[in-house]
Amino acid sequence: MGFQQGLSGLNAASKSLDVIGNNVSNANTVGFKESQAQFADVYANSLTGAGASQIGIGTKVAVVAQQFTQGNISASNNPLDVAINGGGFFRMSNNGTITYARNGQFQLDKSGYIINATGARLTGYTANANGVLSTGAPADLNINTSDLTPQTTTKVKAVLNLDSGSTVPVTTPFNMADPTTYNSSTAVSVYDSLGNAHTLQTFYVKTGANAWNVYAANDGVPIGYVPPAAPVPVGSLAFATDGSLVPAPPFAVPLTVGTGATSPFTVSVDYTGTSQYGSAFSVNALKQDGYTSGRLAGFSISADGTIVGRYTNGQSATLGQVVLANFTNPNGLQSLGNNLWTDTAASGPALVGTPNSGSLGVLQSSAVEDSNVDLTAELVNMITAQRNYQANAQTIKTQDQVLQTLVNLR
């Protein structure tokens, strides 16, 4: 009788409409992956074996398979929103229970952990105070909002050009308050162990052909002598006839401070690359390696998952790194709702790694991955499923008419 085939067809068409309806309802759900109902035909077992005249007894839902194709990426205003472009899932932890997600809408909780809307924490590699990542087992990522500790200046790199046309000053000895006792000068800010800024001034006095003395002062106080004693140069520069600097070790300049920081502290001044040509005095580079303390002003997540904090002192530091997980068979994952999946025996174990490695995609900060539902295709599929439902209902109606005719036979 054709009732069973028609009934199974009605059930299949109904399931297909359910799947389509679920896809349509999640068309705006970030990170959602559309599903597809896949069907299989059904045959009755036969004791005598299969034959050419065997008639099927309908259809059944073989599997509802999610389609893990890439969704469009849209920009957002939240720096913690992260989109995956490529394969992989965010690895989330809820009190030790691990789940996986494509929805990268994150925020900070009161303790500084990166969480999703359900409170699950994003996991990755944590960083120590020096920005060194611990690349062992992934852990809950926490944004350290404490101040960046200051770094004492230990080196100054100075690349200058001293004017070879300068004459030896006629006024002696050197006096930083008297510009006629030196040819040129420059200054750079340096930092003590507490992050206090100090001004290191250097003065250049020509003493003869291709020869210069260097004097220094810290915050306006001469270094190396106490007036009225004779000034002492902190170093001397010599140049070859082609204007290049005769190689010399960096000058060790001791700085005494009264801020409660380590005092004195020594700054090494390196003049490698300095020249003496027939052009005016110029400063081509003047860099130092210290900085004051800084407050966290913001952070971003790079393509490889590295979380970089930006501080008010102009420095940046690594705060952690997001990891991704992938599976040999993503369709074997079990959906938990709330944009989360869990692994199963069918999916295989999670393959955890950093973004842009292996089969894992790259990350895009301040962006989200849209649902991959194609509304146009779903509406067409809905029409098709509706027609299938109507056709199966018609087979039941026809079979009923045939039976009614048989019942009415006399």
Side-chain angles (χ1 to χ4, degrees):
M1 304 299 285
F3 287 115
Q4 183 171 349
Q5 290 90 335
L7 183 60
S8 69
L10 287 177
N11 184 60
S14 177
K15 294 294 185 184
S16 180
L17 283 169
D18 288 343
V19 172
I20 293 170
N22 186 58
N23 288 341
V24 172
S25 66
N26 284 283
N28 290 321
T29 301
V30 171
F32 178 79
K33 299 303 178 184
E34 66 176 351
S35 298
Q36 183 184 77
Q38 299 176 0
F39 303 97
D41 54 357
V42 179
Y43 283 83
N45 291 328
S46 174
L47 294 177
T48 59
S53 61
Q54 187 179 13
I55 299 174
I57 57 174
T59 186
K60 66 177 181 179
V61 177
V63 66
V64 177
Q66 289 195 295
Q67 308 300 302
F68 289 96
T69 55
Q70 179 70 41
N72 293 328
I73 293 179
S74 300
S76 78
N77 294 322
N78 179 12
L80 278 176
D81 284 346
V82 187
I84 302 174
N85 190 353
F89 299 81
F90 296 110
R91 185 179 182 274
M92 311 299 300
S93 174
N94 191 350
N95 294 323
T97 301
I98 303 301
T99 54
Y100 304 93
R102 289 285 295 196
N103 185 341
Q105 293 177 303
F106 300 119
Q107 56 189 313
L108 289 181
D109 68 6
K110 63 181 181 180
S111 300
Y113 289 99
I114 303 176
I115 62 171
N116 64 9
T118 66
R121 293 174 177 177
L122 181 65
T123 66
Y125 299 138
T126 57
N128 63 18
N130 296 320
V132 179
L133 293 170
S134 176
T135 56
D140 299 349
L141 288 173
N142 183 278
I143 300 299
N144 185 356
T145 57
S146 60
D147 287 359
L148 186 67
T149 57
Q151 178 170 300
T152 306
T153 298
T154 60
K155 298 178 182 178
V156 171
K157 173 67 174 179
V159 181
L160 316 173
N161 179 69
L162 300 176
D163 185 0
S164 64
S166 298
T167 59
V168 176
V170 294
T171 305
T172 58
F174 165 75
N175 181 354
M176 60 177 293
D178 184 358
T180 64
T181 63
Y182 57 90
N183 299 88
S184 51
S185 66
T186 188
V188 62
S189 292
V190 295
Y191 299 90
D192 62 26
S193 61
L194 296 179
N196 299 297
H198 304 276
T199 301
L200 174 61
Q201 295 172 277
T202 51
F203 304 86
Y204 305 92
V205 179
K206 190 170 186 178
T207 59
N210 304 325
W212 299 74
N213 280 341
V214 180
Y215 298 85
N218 176 33
D219 292 336
V221 178
I223 295 174
Y225 73 100
V226 178
V232 178
V234 296
S236 298
L237 300 175
F239 296 89
T241 55
D242 62 357
S244 62
L245 180 68
V246 175
F251 303 157
V253 180
L255 302 183
T256 301
V257 295
T259 59
T262 301
S263 180
F265 67 98
T266 301
V267 175
S268 174
V269 183
D270 184 5
Y271 284 95
T272 302
T274 291
S275 58
Q276 180 197 242
Y277 297 134
S279 54
F281 172 79
S282 62
V283 180
N284 300 317
L286 194 58
K287 301 182 294 184
Q288 57 86 38
D289 61 354
Y291 48 81
T292 188
S293 61
R295 294 186 179 276
L296 184 65
F299 51 87
S300 61
I301 302 177
S302 62
D304 67 352
T306 303
I307 305 173
V308 179
R310 303 185 308 276
Y311 293 85
T312 54
N313 59 0
Q315 301 299 310
S316 61
T318 298
L319 304 178
Q321 185 177 25
V322 179
V323 298
L324 297 180
N326 211 349
F327 300 87
T328 304
N329 175 26
N331 278 308
L333 294 171
Q334 179 183 348
S335 180
L336 301 176
N338 289 319
N339 300 314
L340 297 174
W341 290 271
T342 186
D343 56 344
T344 66
S347 69
L351 307 173
V352 179
T354 56
N356 201 26
S357 67
S359 62
L360 301 174
V362 298
L363 301 186
Q364 183 173 336
S365 183
S366 298
V368 293
E369 181 190 9
D370 298 335
S371 167
N372 67 349
V373 173
D374 184 341
L375 275 178
T376 300
E378 294 301 320
L379 292 176
V380 173
N381 292 338
M382 188 183 299
I383 295 172
T384 303
Q386 180 185 10
R387 291 287 184 262
N388 289 340
Y389 193 94
Q390 292 171 335
N392 281 284
Q394 189 64 38
T395 65
I396 294 175
K397 179 179 179 182
T398 302
Q399 188 64 42
D400 178 61
Q401 292 173 344
V402 171
L403 287 177
Q404 188 65 37
T405 299
L406 291 175
V407 169
N408 291 336
L409 289 176
R410 298 287 187 236

